[in-house]
Amino acid sequence: MILRLLVSLALSAFAPLLWAGEALTGEVQRQPMNVSAIVMFVVFVGATLCITYWASKKNNSASDYYAAGGKITGFQNGLAIAGDYMSAASFLGISALVYTSGYDGLIYSIGFLVGWPVILFLMAERLRNLGKYTFADVASYRLKQMPIRTVAASGSLVVVAFYLIAQMVGAGKLIQLLFGLDYYVAVVLVGVLMMLYVLFGGMLATTWVQIIKAVMLLSGASFMALMVMKHVNFDFAALFSEAIKVHPKGEAIMSPGGLVKDPVSAISLGLALMFGTAGLPHILMRFFTVSDAKEARKSVFYATGFIGYFYILTFIIGFGAIVLVSTNPAFKDAAGALLGGNNMAAIHLANAVGGSLFLGFISAVAFATILAVVAGLTLAGATAVSHDLYASVYKKGKTNDRDEIRVSKITTIALGVLAVALGILFEKQNIAFMVGLAFSIAASCNFPVLFLSMFWKNLTTRGAMLGGWLGLVTAVTLMILGPTVWVQVLGHAQAIFPYEYPALFSMAIAFAGIWFFSITDKSASAAEERARFLPQFVRSQTGLGSSGAVAH
């Protein structure tokens, strides 16, 4: 039962656990109430609510609400991005993956960093210079507003919806296990806090929640890794040797290639993680919170450093759990469960190296990470509705900041209520495919449209719209027809689409569709759109007009 719970948690928050793909069903037994964890969590919530109150006094315009007025520094934004990226599942899941599979955990954790150079060298500067609040600002810069913003907002909302449901289920299960609270109480608690952060604090409060969470997580993980290395006299060779001696797989834990053996699935998964990262709406909108393109580049630089350091720590923590948890008589039962696939290696190691007080701290940090991520997701979804659909499509730009923020807050409440309801509804369902689908859609719909709008002069509205919809629909369809949903969820004997991850195919279809429908578009409007590429490119390189005003 705990295995199924924690695979669900791990798959809920970030890509590290997409490989699992197990049926996430069943109940978890409530644990005794962890007083130290609850006290530390209450302190965290109290501090962040004070920040939310402070931030609410600063939100005087749409720019303040959506982008913190562009006043976040590159270092702060990099730390906030890292806080958004380093989920509870990354922390628990990768360390458990290393615990059970060894070296493969390092390979996958490093794989997640590959998407960041793409953002750093190809996208960050142009995003900041061409955009205002969402990546749809960039994609629609030289194309027609309504069709492009509609497909961009739709892709964003689908990504946010699936990601948010998975987060809520993961949060409820985690709190039920660690804090001893009821699942429904936990889901409602997360939903209420999420709405408070976004409703009153906007991007400024969300940013600082993510920064605080990142500092807490990095501090806790650093202490755990330090204690592990102290145990082996800071000798990596000794750490690996001890792990090999006690692990049932022996030297096999130092050999790569044991998790995804099918090359097509491996490539498809890699593409989803790499380019999905560059298409996640809640990550992309963070680049509009800094003052200029230089700070945007700094954001990615710092974020890459923090995230890379974090994944190195999880690798040490995973091997440390093999050595300290497996050989400690006090954790004999826990070690047996862990080697069966349980994703709580980091939690048990926290208890082993720091006692119940540090265990409470790590438990509170794990919950805090979920709050930070859901706040960012909710703000991204609300912004897509209020700025892209309401202000730009429905009102055709004829609106004011007050109306736009009002719609955003209404959307936040609606998303919060929906997330809580679906979190309760999906408690016993397989939610693994939702995260895989979110990344596949981000890579197949958001990324191709955004990337080609920046770099391809022949892109037209027709090509971007039809190609974007093709990518979105293909990703959803292939995921449904694949093994995860068609067999594990719907109960059919054999999948129609044989591969678990559709990104290789859906991305190819999206790019091909955008290319074909653009080059065959001979309309007068298409010629005008191609002609706009040169001034757009000049602006993206020089930073002229980088105040965020998108001209049409």
Side-chain angles (χ1 to χ4, degrees):
M1 293 181 183
I2 295 179
L3 164 63
R4 292 176 178 177
L5 148 71
L6 288 162
V7 172
S8 120
L9 163 68
L11 284 161
S12 73
F14 221 84
L17 299 313
L18 289 176
W19 333 292
E22 295 191 23
L24 308 177
T25 58
E27 300 279 349
V28 292
Q29 298 178 358
R30 290 181 60 179
Q31 303 296 306
M33 188 167 291
N34 189 325
V35 177
S36 60
I38 293 177
V39 169
M40 292 180 188
F41 174 69
V42 168
V43 171
F44 170 81
V45 170
T48 52
L49 288 178
C50 290
I51 291 173
T52 301
Y53 176 77
W54 164 76
S56 67
K57 303 298 183 181
K58 304 279 187 179
N59 290 331
N60 300 316
S61 66
S63 177
D64 293 332
Y65 186 77
Y66 293 134
K71 298 176 182 177
I72 304 298
T73 67
F75 177 80
Q76 292 170 343
N77 197 43
L79 196 53
I81 291 173
D84 220 352
Y85 199 85
M86 299 182 304
S87 65
S90 295
F91 178 52
L92 299 178
I94 288 186
S95 57
L97 182 66
V98 174
Y99 186 99
T100 55
S101 302
Y103 189 78
D104 272 328
L106 178 63
I107 294 176
Y108 280 102
S109 62
I110 290 177
F112 306 131
L113 293 174
V114 176
W116 289 102
V118 175
I119 299 176
L120 173 60
F121 293 111
L122 298 180
M123 298 173 63
E125 182 176 353
R126 290 174 173 82
L127 273 171
R128 181 58 193 90
N129 286 339
L130 294 170
K132 188 176 183 181
Y133 303 139
T134 69
F135 81 91
D137 290 332
V138 180
S140 64
Y141 175 73
R142 61 189 176 99
L143 306 176
K144 294 179 181 177
Q145 289 281 303
M146 292 185 63
I148 299 305
R149 286 191 183 273
T150 300
V151 68
S154 299
S156 296
L157 287 172
V158 172
V159 171
V160 167
F162 284 111
Y163 218 138
L164 199 55
I165 293 171
Q167 288 284 350
M168 296 300 289
V169 174
K173 295 293 187 179
L174 178 67
I175 299 167
Q176 183 182 10
L177 180 72
L178 297 180
F179 292 2
L181 300 179
D182 186 80
Y183 175 83
Y184 305 107
V185 173
V187 171
V188 172
L189 177 62
V190 173
V192 170
L193 289 173
M194 169 186 77
M195 286 188 282
L196 287 176
Y197 292 148
V198 178
L199 277 175
F200 299 104
M203 178 57 83
L204 184 59
T206 300
T207 297
W208 281 103
V209 169
Q210 290 164 345
I211 289 174
I212 293 173
K213 166 254 175 156
V215 171
M216 291 172 62
L217 183 56
L218 288 171
S219 300
S222 296
F223 175 77
M224 293 171 67
L226 180 65
M227 296 304 290
V228 168
M229 295 309 298
K230 180 181 178 182
H231 176 77
V232 295
N233 296 318
F234 298 94
D235 185 350
F236 278 101
L239 176 64
F240 298 146
S241 297
E242 288 192 30
I244 291 171
K245 290 178 183 178
V246 299
H247 200 284
K249 296 181 180 180
E251 292 186 359
I253 63 173
M254 302 306 294
S255 301
L259 291 175
V260 179
K261 298 179 180 179
D262 173 28
V264 174
S265 294
I267 294 171
S268 192
L269 172 61
L271 289 173
L273 299 182
M274 177 178 176
F275 295 109
T277 299
L280 292 174
H282 63 295
I283 297 294
L284 294 176
M285 72 181 299
R286 291 227 52 89
F287 293 103
F288 307 123
T289 64
V290 293
S291 58
D292 53 38
K294 181 180 179 181
E295 293 300 311
R297 291 193 301 271
K298 286 183 179 180
S299 298
V300 188
F301 176 77
Y302 287 123
T304 305
F306 288 128
I307 294 167
Y309 172 67
F310 169 74
Y311 284 136
I312 291 173
L313 295 179
T314 58
F315 184 65
I316 297 173
I317 289 169
F319 272 97
I322 296 175
V323 174
L324 295 178
V325 176
S326 298
T327 58
N328 191 328
F331 300 102
K332 182 177 180 181
D333 294 336
L338 284 167
L339 291 174
N342 191 313
N343 282 308
M344 296 299 284
I347 298 298
H348 288 296
L349 181 62
N351 197 11
V353 301
S356 60
L357 185 63
F358 186 64
L359 172 64
F361 173 78
I362 291 298
S363 300
V365 167
F367 191 18
T369 60
I370 294 177
L371 284 178
V373 174
V374 297
L377 285 167
T378 304
L379 185 58
T383 306
V385 171
S386 61
H387 179 64
D388 293 329
L389 296 181
Y390 174 76
S392 300
V393 175
Y394 180 71
K395 287 291 188 178
K396 298 180 174 61
K398 299 177 181 178
T399 185
N400 54 51
D401 285 1
R402 180 178 297 179
D403 287 342
E404 200 170 323
I405 293 175
R406 176 176 55 83
V407 172
S408 182
K409 292 185 175 182
I410 293 173
T411 306
T412 297
I413 296 173
L415 282 174
V417 173
L418 183 65
V420 170
L422 292 177
I424 293 173
L425 180 65
F426 279 83
E427 177 189 3
K428 299 178 183 179
Q429 301 301 314
N430 185 329
I431 62 168
F433 70 94
M434 294 181 185
V435 175
L437 183 55
F439 270 84
S440 295
I441 290 173
S444 305
C445 177
N446 297 351
F447 175 74
V449 173
L450 176 61
F451 181 78
L452 292 179
S453 69
M454 291 178 176
F455 292 99
W456 191 39
K457 67 178 181 180
N458 291 320
L459 180 69
T460 67
T461 297
R462 188 181 79 166
M465 179 185 68
L466 294 178
W469 281 113
L470 277 173
L472 192 157
V473 173
T474 302
V476 174
T477 302
L478 293 183
M479 182 68 79
I480 293 174
L481 299 178
T484 304
V485 179
W486 196 253
V487 176
Q488 297 180 22
V489 178
L490 300 181
H492 294 89
Q494 187 173 357
I496 298 175
F497 177 71
Y499 304 109
E500 192 170 357
Y501 310 108
L504 174 62
F505 305 93
S506 54
M507 278 186 69
I509 289 174
F511 274 106
I514 294 173
W515 171 80
F516 176 77
F517 290 113
S518 291
I519 64 170
T520 57
D521 190 352
K522 305 301 182 181
S523 64
S525 62
E528 293 178 3
E529 289 163 359
R530 294 185 182 103
R532 292 194 193 112
F533 177 77
L534 183 59
Q536 181 207 33
F537 182 79
V538 171
R539 182 187 180 193
S540 71
Q541 293 296 312
T542 63
L544 295 176
S546 61
S547 60
V550 180
H552 295 279

